[in-house]
Amino acid sequence: MSSATTPPDSDPTGRRQVHSMLKLYYGMNEEGKVESLDPCDINGPHFDPEVYLNKLRKECSLGELMDHESCTVKQIRSLDSDMQTLVYENYNKFISATDTIRKMKNDFKKMEDEMDCLSANMAAITEFSAHISGTLQDQHAQITKLSGVHTLLRKLQFLFELPARLNKCLELQAYAQAVSAHRRARCVLQQYSHMPSFRGIQDDCHVIMEQLAQQLRQKFRDGGSSAKDLSECVELLLQLDEPAEELCDKFLSHAQSRLEADLQGLEAELIDSLVTDTGGGLVQKTNPGSNPVSPSSSSTTNPFLSPTAGTDILEFIDRGCNEFVSNLCLVIASYQELFINHPQEGELASKKIPEMANGKLHVFVDTLAARYFSLVERRIQEEKGVGDNSLLVRALDRFHRRLQAISKLLPGSAVPSQGTEIVVRAARERIKQYLSALQTFYHDSLTDVRQALAAPRLSVGGASASGGGATSKDATPSLPELLTSLSNFILNQLKSVLASVHLFTAKDITFSNKPYFKGEFCSQGVREGLVVSFIKFICQSSRQYCESAGDRGGSTPPALLLLLSRLCLDYETSTISYILTLTDEQFLVQHHTPVTPVTALCAEAREAAQKLLNHYVKVQGLIISQMLRKSVETRDWVNTIEPRNVRAVMKRVVEDTTSIDVQVGLLYEEGVRKAHSSDSSKRTFSVYSSSRQQIRYAPILIHTFTCAALLVSVLTGIIKISLKTFLECVRLRTFGRYGLQQIQVDCHYLQMYLWRFVSDENLVHFLLDEIVGSAAHRCLDPSPMEQSVIEVICERG
Amino acid sequence: MERCFPFQTSVTVYKAYTRVESDANTIARALTAQTAETDAIRFLVGTQSLKFDNQITNEPKRLSSENRVLTCAAVWRMPPEWESGSHESPDDSSNNPQTLELLCHLDNTAHGSVACVLWEPLGDGKRVISLAENHVLLWDLQESSTKATISSTATLEGKGQLKFTAGKWSPHHNSTQLVTANDTAIRGWDLRSMSQIYCIENAHGQLVRDLDFNPNKQYYLASCGDDCKVKFWDVRHINEPVKCLEEHSHWVWSVRYNHSHDQLLLTGSSDSRVILSNMVSISSEPFGHLVDDDDLSDNEENQQEDKGKEPLQDSIIATYEEHEDSVYAVEWSAADPWLFASLSYDGRLVINRVPRALKYRILL
């Protein structure tokens, strides 16, 4: 029982033991604890004293029994004492609990009383509060009323102070403030105008505002102020109930005066440039007298430069755009801001101001733009130089671009389309100028060629006579060189013109995407108006050389005719199609309208070439036949001496024919000549060869343009013409004996040399026979010379 | 030597083909129609030779003949038996040449060789003009043309050797005007004052060979020359020709208006061709559509008719190529306005008719 005495805290097992025992006592079964069923376990529930005693007796000796007995007695005693302690303890606890409960009972009673007292107090407080609220109500209403009066008084004060304030604003020129202040007061004053004091204020205000309006109008009228100031001014006036129409008019007239100043500036510039131009002319005129060196410098002024040296067109247009157009745009914008887009209140809205204002604006813009356009057009017309097209195009582009701003501002306006028309017109005009420039250029280069042909005339003759142009080539260009340089010049010029015209359709130019520039400009303008016209012009002027100059034969050098014919032929074969293809490619011509086909142009060129060549034959034939005619007509054939030589004129004829042969051969390749009979130079003449052969004098017409046949047929034609003339002249003369013999010698000489130039030598033979025959007919004493003698004379000469 | 041409096959062609026969090869250059004869168709041909007497075949009542070599001119009378107007065919006369009676020589040795001799176109035939070198000589024939005296002269002055090549006495203005050609210029003369009244310088590019007056339009003149062209002039506007034809390929030696239908024009050239052209636009006959023919009621019919009858255009009617040598002279017949003759160097005289289709078109 020693364990029982140990304090419960110190020995948990002992406490547990106590707990479990208490539990047992109170019949509580400790769950989960395996209870031993051993009846010998003294602490177990199935303890059976009898079994336990029997067991002890059987197993233990006396001593042990004795011990055991004492141990058990000890344990019993300890248990009893434990029991006693427990009972005491519990009893004390119970008593203290009872005491506590009694005390609590007393306390609650006290609290109940205090609560009653509290509720009574609260009722009293509520009553008091209601009483106070009721008392304060009246005073609050009075305060509200008082604050209202205060506000009113402040307004009144504003009203009373208004005239002074307005005056001050007027002094400070703070018009906007004045107007807004007045607007605020206006209605009130209007309402209370029956009261004399308010009336006074209103009148004062009226006067002041009148004054203000006057000032504003003055300012408006004076001008000089910027557009922004002006628009502000207008806005204020509008708020002051000025009639809108009048304002519109005034605004526009004011704007007009300023824009007119711009226009006048432009016009002055235009006139200036004219004056300086003529002045420049005067200076140039006076210069040569005073200074002989300067004219060379002044005369070298390139005709392709702009005639107006003062300001170029780009500058002019720039100025026009920057001053006039931008100001116009500004005016339009502010006008629209003021009169059209301005939100209208009340009665103003009903007056349909926007419509009226819009109409006025359109008229205004149209008239001004018309003047501007006329100025621009005058300026463009002055732009006659064809050198630098880019300036003009850029100017036009700027002009057109700036007008787009107007079209954005004023959607219904006709101004931009008129501007486009001007551009179109300018472009058309430009093409015409280019065409005439090309024509002039063509004429000039022809003149150059003509001079080049005229200058070395002798040297060419000498060179061709000596069979080669090596010596003369150094000094002057030969015929083929002239031809290539001429055609190159023309082609280059045409190309450069095309390039400058092409600027009109460049992508970065705004007007290039207009329908005119896409379609008609390319096809009708450039292709037809420029290129085709130029080619036609070439053909035509070439033909003119045949017609006008032909009669006397002297005005156009034959070499030029030959050159031109070759040029036309080249055009027919290649150049025309090349140029047109080039144009079509550059301008992407879409043929909406019928255009001149290449074949027609080629046919024309071919016709011109043909005509020129025929004319060349005629002219050259004429030159030789004139020579022959003179030689026959001026001689006294009856009383001539016996022939000793071939006449010089015959040698000249052969020489000239040779040089023509060389000349033509330079440009046209030599054709195949009929193989000559070996004895052709030894052929004898029958003086009475009146065997009327059926070889006619067929006219010389070169219908085959194959180069092979050409050279021969040209020379055949020339020889035919010459010999026929010879024949006719001989028939008109009378010959003596030696005259006939001289003719015989001459004919034989011609026979010897001319056969090689013609396609059919029989023709030469026939004509020469005829000449000798006719001479014999007209001979008083027809006794022909011995053939051998003739041959000797001819070989000698 | 008969040739047929396509346009003549359906028509009876009166075509004589004559070689002026002579002892040797005869060279003929002059041709004229017998103007006083109205019944018989008769042409006179002048020959040119040095060794033989020059002949005039067929018979003239009056004929002017010139011989370049002898530089003289003479007036001849036709044999009297022809004067009564015999009706032999031209062949007969060439078979049986008659000699002409020489009336008088135009004695002009002082003035050089004669280029041409012209009879007064109207009147009694008492006046003759001869052009010699640079002189115009007006002769009066007296005592039945047996004696000729120079009544007045005019001389062309200028630098260089000026020589008349051709001339024509105007049938208009009461025969007071003469037109001459020298080198490339055409000059008009007033015979009353014997002074120049107009001058077309450079009328042709080269020598002017022949001239003819339009018989019905008094100011119109045709000229031809070595530049192969035939030009028509209005002498009131001499700066520009009215029209210019360029059909020949060599010198044009002769140009003749038809006497009654002046749209018909004959030219002969040394390219051995004769060209008959129809110059409607500058003729005296109405050209194109006549307005007063129109009847408004049957306008449509008229229009249809018009379509069927296109107004004649200026055109070449025919080119005659019978000649084998240069054609030096062409002449219309005096009796038959549809007949003409052409003469070439080799003495061949070809007589042709205007195509019948054209004739009816002009007449109807």
Side-chain angles (χ1 to χ4, degrees):
Chain A
M1 287 287 158
S2 60
S3 65
T5 54
T6 54
D9 294 337
S10 59
D11 187 11
T13 51
R15 245 184 104 91
R16 176 150 300 211
Q17 217 167 8
V18 171
H19 271 258
S20 60
M21 276 191 292
L22 273 172
K23 273 173 186 170
L24 278 175
Y25 181 76
Y26 287 107
M28 283 168 73
N29 197 9
E30 216 172 302
E31 285 178 335
K33 194 166 184 180
V34 184
E35 289 165 6
S36 62
L37 296 170
D38 189 7
C40 299
D41 188 4
I42 200 159
N43 290 328
H46 299 290
F47 182 68
D48 191 349
E50 280 305 313
V51 173
Y52 186 67
L53 277 173
N54 288 340
K55 193 186 170 189
L56 277 176
R57 265 177 267 170
K58 279 179 204 170
E59 286 175 5
C60 299
S61 61
L62 186 56
E64 283 172 344
L65 276 172
M66 282 305 284
D67 286 343
H68 202 79
E69 192 219 344
S70 62
C71 183
T72 308
V73 170
K74 255 189 199 171
Q75 275 180 357
I76 291 169
R77 265 181 209 156
S78 133
L79 277 172
D80 276 347
S81 71
D82 279 353
M83 189 88 77
Q84 227 172 335
T85 321
L86 272 173
V87 169
Y88 276 119
E89 269 177 20
N90 284 335
Y91 183 67
N92 281 341
K93 279 179 185 171
F94 180 71
I95 286 173
S96 73
T98 310
D99 284 352
T100 308
I101 288 168
R102 194 176 294 139
K103 201 181 170 191
M104 273 174 73
K105 240 177 209 170
N106 290 339
D107 285 351
F108 271 114
K109 200 158 202 179
K110 202 176 164 190
M111 206 158 76
E112 204 166 291
D113 290 346
E114 278 176 15
M115 282 306 284
D116 282 345
C117 179
L118 184 65
S119 69
N121 282 350
M122 282 307 290
I125 288 168
T126 312
E127 201 180 332
F128 270 119
S129 151
H131 185 67
I132 288 166
S133 312
T135 322
L136 287 179
Q137 189 98 49
D138 282 350
Q139 286 184 339
H140 179 74
Q142 220 163 357
I143 285 170
T144 315
K145 199 177 165 192
L146 275 175
S147 81
V149 170
H150 177 72
T151 324
L152 191 63
L153 280 175
R154 276 181 66 181
K155 278 184 185 165
L156 277 177
Q157 191 188 11
F158 171 75
L159 279 183
F160 284 121
E161 280 174 3
L162 188 61
R165 183 189 290 231
L166 288 179
N167 267 329
K168 196 163 187 187
C169 283
L170 207 57
E171 263 171 49
L172 294 173
Q173 297 198 329
Y175 301 114
Q177 268 181 30
V179 171
S180 69
H182 181 247
R183 271 181 68 205
R184 269 157 62 196
R186 197 163 50 180
C187 293
V188 182
L189 287 172
Q190 192 67 38
Q191 202 178 338
Y192 294 103
S193 58
H194 56 279
M195 290 159 88
S197 54
F198 284 108
R199 177 50 111 1
I201 293 171
Q202 195 187 10
D203 289 349
D204 283 356
C205 285
H206 230 82
V207 170
I208 292 166
M209 287 321 283
E210 202 63 30
Q211 214 175 332
L212 189 138
Q214 208 66 41
Q215 274 192 16
L216 281 177
R217 266 183 230 133
Q218 188 63 39
K219 194 175 161 192
F220 190 75
R221 220 170 286 133
D222 278 350
S225 46
S226 71
K228 204 177 159 195
D229 278 358
L230 200 72
S231 62
E232 196 181 287
C233 202
V234 168
E235 199 173 349
L236 293 175
L237 279 171
L238 208 60
Q239 282 174 2
L240 287 176
D241 277 352
E242 286 285 315
E245 198 171 337
E246 205 174 300
L247 271 183
C248 288
D249 286 344
K250 271 188 186 164
F251 183 87
L252 288 182
S253 75
H254 182 248
Q256 185 162 19
S257 70
R258 277 184 306 132
L259 289 173
E260 296 235 335
D262 287 345
L263 283 178
Q264 264 155 17
L266 284 178
E267 199 166 3
E269 198 170 315
L270 197 62
I271 290 164
D272 261 2
S273 64
L274 280 176
V275 168
T276 52
D277 189 32
T278 54
L282 280 177
V283 168
Q284 282 188 12
K285 268 183 197 167
T286 52
N287 261 351
S290 57
N291 188 356
V293 185
S294 59
S296 62
S297 60
S298 64
S299 63
T300 51
T301 49
N302 195 342
F304 282 76
L305 269 181
S306 164
T308 53
T311 50
D312 61 29
I313 185 158
L314 187 59
E315 231 170 285
F316 179 85
I317 296 281
D318 234 7
R319 195 172 154 192
C321 288
N322 288 340
E323 290 178 0
F324 176 78
V325 178
S326 58
N327 277 342
L328 186 67
C329 286
L330 210 60
V331 166
I332 293 172
S334 56
Y335 183 90
Q336 281 179 332
E337 191 59 38
L338 288 176
F339 298 107
I340 298 173
N341 301 332
H342 200 65
Q344 309 285 345
E345 337 62 7
E347 79 262 56
L348 283 178
S350 62
K351 286 182 186 167
K352 291 187 175 175
I353 288 176
E355 285 81 351
M356 182 272 300
N358 217 357
K360 277 188 189 299
L361 182 63
H362 274 283
V363 173
F364 169 77
V365 170
D366 284 351
T367 47
L368 278 178
R371 284 194 51 193
Y372 175 58
F373 287 158
S374 77
L375 282 178
V376 169
E377 246 180 317
R378 266 169 64 190
R379 183 65 184 82
I380 291 173
Q381 273 164 17
E382 267 171 47
E383 203 62 21
K384 289 200 181 66
V386 284
D388 191 8
N389 197 34
S390 64
L391 214 59
L392 177 75
V393 172
R394 265 163 60 204
L396 285 177
D397 178 39
R398 194 154 304 177
F399 170 73
H400 188 260
R401 206 186 287 262
R402 293 302 285 260
L403 286 180
Q404 299 313 306
I406 295 185
S407 82
K408 267 180 206 137
L409 280 172
L410 211 60
S413 173
V415 171
S417 62
Q418 280 171 4
T420 312
E421 243 163 67
I422 285 182
V423 173
V424 167
R425 263 203 299 269
R428 273 200 194 117
E429 199 54 41
R430 202 66 179 161
I431 286 176
K432 270 186 208 151
Q433 284 171 4
Y434 271 120
L435 181 61
S436 71
L438 273 179
Q439 290 172 354
T440 325
F441 177 81
Y442 177 69
H443 270 310
D444 289 350
S445 42
L446 275 195
T447 315
D448 288 351
V449 168
R450 198 188 269 238
Q451 276 166 358
L453 285 176
R457 173 129 293 231
L458 289 172
S459 66
V460 163
S464 57
S466 66
T471 49
S472 67
K473 256 178 195 168
D474 308 334
T476 51
S478 69
L479 219 50
E481 279 166 13
L482 276 175
L483 175 70
T484 46
S485 72
L486 176 67
S487 70
N488 282 344
F489 273 148
I490 293 171
L491 206 58
N492 286 341
Q493 190 69 16
L494 192 63
K495 273 182 187 166
S496 74
V497 163
L498 277 182
S500 22
V501 171
H502 194 245
L503 287 175
F504 276 108
T505 58
K507 283 215 173 61
D508 54 338
I509 304 294
T510 47
F511 53 73
S512 66
N513 55 5
K514 293 275 172 204
Y516 170 75
F517 281 98
K518 288 209 144 164
E520 205 196 335
F521 178 76
C522 293
S523 67
Q524 288 308 108
V526 175
R527 192 182 190 273
E528 294 294 297
L530 194 65
V531 179
V532 172
S533 298
F534 182 58
I535 294 168
K536 277 186 178 164
F537 168 78
I538 289 180
C539 297
Q540 225 154 32
S541 71
S542 305
R543 278 206 298 272
Q544 267 169 12
Y545 274 108
C546 304
E547 281 151 19
S548 61
D551 285 350
R552 274 285 170 184
S555 52
T556 315
L560 184 65
L561 292 173
L562 198 64
L563 194 87
L564 283 177
S565 97
R566 182 70 210 198
L567 185 74
C568 286
L569 196 63
D570 284 349
Y571 266 70
E572 190 249 331
T573 48
S574 60
T575 317
I576 287 178
S577 60
Y578 168 71
I579 292 174
L580 284 182
T581 320
L582 188 78
T583 315
D584 286 358
E585 273 170 10
Q586 265 195 11
F587 288 88
L588 300 170
V589 177
Q590 296 148 352
H591 304 303
H592 300 300
T593 44
V595 291
T596 320
V598 179
T599 48
L601 284 177
C602 285
E604 200 166 328
R606 189 191 178 82
E607 193 195 331
Q610 171 98 49
K611 225 169 168 179
L612 280 166
L613 207 60
N614 282 348
H615 192 64
Y616 175 76
V617 169
K618 263 188 199 165
V619 169
Q620 291 287 30
L622 181 65
I623 290 171
I624 294 181
S625 41
Q626 291 287 32
M627 215 149 61
L628 284 169
R629 203 178 109 192
K630 285 269 146 55
S631 77
V632 174
E633 280 180 0
T634 51
R635 197 170 172 129
D636 182 4
W637 290 99
V638 181
N639 304 315
T640 186
I641 53 158
E642 194 175 350
R644 302 193 177 282
N645 271 316
V646 179
R647 282 187 302 149
V649 69
M650 294 302 155
K651 291 180 181 166
R652 183 75 199 281
V653 166
V654 172
E655 265 174 29
D656 280 9
T657 315
T658 316
S659 76
I660 290 168
D661 184 51
V662 171
Q663 200 177 47
V664 179
L666 283 175
L667 290 180
Y668 291 97
E669 299 79 22
E670 186 166 352
V672 185
R673 284 205 179 85
K674 200 175 173 185
H676 55 85
S677 52
S678 56
D679 63 340
S680 64
S681 57
K682 294 186 181 110
R683 200 170 152 274
T684 56
F685 288 106
S686 56
V687 172
Y688 294 106
S689 70
S690 46
S691 56
R692 297 276 169 209
Q693 300 175 42
Q694 281 302 308
I695 303 172
R696 299 173 150 270
Y697 170 72
I700 7 76
L701 289 173
I702 303 130
H703 288 298
T704 47
F705 240 127
T706 51
C707 276
L710 200 121
L711 175 62
V712 170
S713 52
V714 164
L715 280 159
T716 309
I718 291 169
I719 290 171
K720 267 192 206 166
I721 290 179
S722 313
L723 291 185
K724 181 74 184 175
T725 307
F726 194 16
L727 172 64
E728 292 295 335
C729 289
V730 162
R731 282 180 182 177
L732 289 175
R733 304 288 301 179
T734 309
F735 295 86
R737 178 178 171 189
Y738 295 128
L740 171 67
Q741 289 181 357
Q742 180 69 59
I743 293 289
Q744 268 184 295
V745 170
D746 290 350
C747 286
H748 187 80
Y749 183 79
L750 291 179
Q751 169 87 44
M752 275 166 65
Y753 290 100
L754 289 186
W755 61 266
R756 72 182 78 168
F757 298 116
V758 297
S759 55
D760 181 9
E761 59 182 314
N762 282 334
L763 195 99
V764 177
H765 295 160
F766 167 69
L767 279 168
L768 290 172
D769 278 356
E770 273 294 301
I771 291 169
V772 175
S774 298
H777 269 297
R778 299 291 305 168
C779 187
L780 297 167
D781 177 19
S783 51
M785 199 177 226
E786 280 294 316
Q787 185 63 29
S788 55
V789 182
I790 295 174
E791 275 165 25
V792 167
I793 293 176
C794 284
E795 255 137 59
R796 199 177 57 202
Chain B
M1 188 73 200
E2 190 71 30
R3 283 195 207 157
C4 280
F5 291 87
F7 51 85
Q8 288 171 335
T9 48
S10 61
V11 201
T12 315
V13 182
Y14 180 92
K15 189 163 77 176
Y17 182 82
T18 312
R19 169 71 68 82
V20 180
E21 294 294 343
S22 183
D23 302 346
N25 284 307
T26 310
I27 295 156
R29 292 195 84 103
L31 172 73
T32 187
Q34 186 182 356
T35 46
E37 179 65 75
T38 48
D39 295 334
I41 298 161
R42 210 167 275 163
F43 290 101
L44 312 177
V45 177
T47 60
Q48 176 198 37
S49 178
L50 299 172
K51 297 170 285 288
F52 316 103
D53 290 332
N54 282 325
Q55 305 164 349
I56 298 165
T57 54
N58 290 17
E59 291 69 35
K61 183 176 183 186
R62 281 180 177 145
L63 172 80
S64 63
S65 155
E66 55 96 10
N67 189 312
R68 284 159 205 272
V69 176
L70 298 178
T71 67
C72 71
V75 178
W76 307 75
R77 181 196 290 281
M78 257 182 22
E81 59 263 38
W82 301 92
E83 204 157 358
S84 60
S86 63
H87 299 287
E88 291 95 332
S89 66
D91 293 333
D92 295 336
S93 59
S94 63
N95 289 341
N96 184 18
Q98 303 288 321
T99 50
L100 303 174
E101 180 185 347
L102 177 67
L103 287 176
C104 68
H105 278 287
L106 301 178
D107 186 15
N108 56 356
T109 46
H111 300 294
S113 64
V114 175
C116 80
V117 178
L118 306 164
W119 282 99
E120 186 177 12
L122 303 168
D124 53 1
K126 288 230 176 285
R127 293 203 295 172
V128 173
I129 285 177
S130 67
L131 301 174
E133 295 286 343
N134 59 340
H135 302 286
V136 179
L137 307 174
L138 179 63
W139 304 80
D140 268 339
L141 300 179
Q142 288 157 350
E143 297 164 25
S144 24
S145 304
T146 52
K147 197 176 152 202
T149 52
I150 295 175
S151 63
S152 53
T153 59
T155 308
L156 181 63
E157 300 291 351
K159 57 179 178 182
Q161 266 200 322
L162 296 170
K163 263 169 89 174
F164 287 119
T165 54
K168 199 80 186 177
W169 200 327
S170 165
H172 308 290
H173 307 294
N174 200 19
S175 307
T176 55
Q177 279 187 16
L178 171 77
V179 65
T180 62
N182 67 303
D183 200 16
T184 61
I186 297 174
R187 287 161 206 277
W189 302 83
D190 188 341
L191 294 177
R192 291 166 299 188
S193 60
M194 291 307 271
S195 59
Q196 187 177 314
I197 44 178
Y198 57 84
C199 174
I200 310 173
E201 297 281 359
N202 291 329
H204 282 268
Q206 299 168 52
L207 213 65
V208 181
R209 288 279 168 195
D210 198 14
L211 300 156
D212 197 17
F213 275 98
N214 186 320
N216 299 326
K217 290 175 94 175
Q218 56 182 346
Y219 296 110
Y220 277 71
L221 183 68
S223 68
C224 61
D226 285 3
D227 57 358
C228 317
K229 288 176 187 166
V230 178
K231 289 184 179 181
F232 298 89
W233 303 89
D234 182 340
V235 298
R236 293 163 298 184
H237 309 285
I238 57 172
N239 294 326
E240 280 292 314
V242 181
K243 208 160 177 70
C244 182
L245 292 181
E246 198 170 357
E247 304 297 343
H248 286 288
S249 55
H250 204 251
W251 303 354
V252 186
W253 280 84
S254 178
V255 59
R256 286 287 178 272
Y257 276 109
N258 188 303
H259 302 302
S260 40
H261 304 283
D262 58 46
Q263 66 267 51
L264 297 178
L265 189 90
L266 210 54
T267 52
S269 157
S270 44
D271 62 4
S272 49
R273 290 188 300 172
V274 175
I275 292 180
L276 175 63
S277 13
N278 189 10
M279 303 305 296
V280 190
S281 65
I282 50 172
S283 76
S284 63
E285 310 222 343
F287 174 57
H289 187 63
L290 275 185
V291 185
D292 40 339
D293 281 352
D294 257 315
D295 198 352
L296 287 172
S297 59
D298 49 14
N299 218 350
E300 277 189 21
E301 281 180 37
N302 271 343
Q303 277 178 353
Q304 280 176 341
E305 261 179 59
D306 288 343
K307 270 179 197 169
K309 202 168 78 178
E310 267 310 284
L312 290 165
Q313 298 292 319
D314 288 354
S315 59
I316 297 176
I317 300 161
T319 306
Y320 300 95
E321 300 187 346
E322 285 94 341
H323 292 289
E324 285 167 15
D325 209 324
S326 305
V327 178
Y328 289 126
V330 289
E331 192 68 70
W332 291 94
S333 160
D336 183 352
W338 309 107
L339 199 74
F340 59 88
S342 53
L343 182 71
S344 61
Y345 179 73
D346 52 8
R348 188 178 290 177
L349 178 77
V350 175
I351 297 176
N352 270 305
R353 243 185 212 292
V354 175
R356 182 173 288 179
L358 180 79
K359 173 175 166 181
Y360 288 148
R361 245 176 129 179
I362 291 171
L363 287 176
L364 298 178

